[in-house]
Amino acid sequence: MLKRALAVVCSLIIAAGIVGQCFSTTVYAQSQEATRAREVVRATPAEGTVTLNEQFFNSLLDAVFTNLKAPTFPLALASTDQKKKTASGESSQASLKLSSLSLSHVSLKPDTCESVVTLERETSGVKTAVHFENGRVVAPLAFKGAYSVALIGCVYFRGWADTVINLSFDRQRQVLSARVTIVDIHLNNIPSLASGMVIRLVQNSLDSRINPIEILQAVQLSTRIPIAGSGGALRMRATEIRPEVVAGALSLHIFYEFAPAE
């Protein structure tokens, strides 16, 4: 009888232990699921979209040419290292290619020649502008410039370039950048023989002096939001900017994360 009673008690104790363990495991699992659910909610990115049309950018260009000096940058055949290696070769090639230029475009005073290219608002009916078409950013750029060529002198040129602007977001630097690529170039009263050299000059100058162009930093789109009645604030931090070219406009999809403000 005593053995049977002890067996019943032991059975109850073991059963209670199993039930308790199961209950504890169930509660712990539910707690984990709730925590994971909160983490998922917290990790869901918020997205905001800013759309800028062509008129915005072209009004910006109008303001630049009206209120500021025309953008000017020096011309370069190649990078500094390449110049050291090929200076003499490039000079002789340039001389040969430009030997057929009309003297009306050449000054024999190279000391007074500043090798630069300057953007213009308009030339030969072509305006510097920004267009959004076929999922691309295209920009005709009107310009004028001069370049000092050995044995020839100062060569003056004017025209416009067809360019494509590629936008990309650098996750590591958290910066939206643009890179300008020249597709074609049109020179006024300059033989086509020289246009290839001018394209190379301008593209190399863009790559060494301008590209990539920093458009926007993610931190510029971040802010602190005070929450009334909660006794605190949230930090709205931009984590990514995805550009999308649509018909006649540029959409910037901005992704945010929220965290307690320090």
Side-chain angles (χ1 to χ4, degrees), residues 137-155:
V137 183
V138 296
L141 301 179
F143 63 86
K144 65 179 180 180
Y147 185 69
S148 179
V149 180
L151 305 179
I152 293 181
C154 194
V155 178

Side-chain angles (χ1 to χ4, degrees), residues 53-71 119-122 126-132 137-142 163 165 180 213:
N53 59 19
E54 291 180 359
Q55 182 60 43
F56 174 86
F57 289 96
N58 292 319
S59 296
L60 176 62
L61 287 172
D62 281 333
V64 169
F65 285 104
T66 301
N67 302 299
L68 303 175
K69 294 173 62 177
L119 294 184
E120 295 190 297
R121 189 68 185 100
E122 183 176 356
V126 177
K127 293 184 67 173
T128 295
V130 174
H131 302 294
F132 303 110
V137 183
V138 296
L141 301 179
T163 69
I165 301 175
V180 181
I213 305 168

Side-chain angles (χ1 to χ4, degrees), residues 174-176 214-223 235 238 241 256:
Q174 291 286 288
V175 171
L176 178 67
E214 185 175 295
I215 302 297
L216 193 63
Q217 295 181 1
V219 69
Q220 294 174 286
L221 302 173
S222 302
T223 188
R235 177 69 177 173
I241 305 172
Y256 288 93

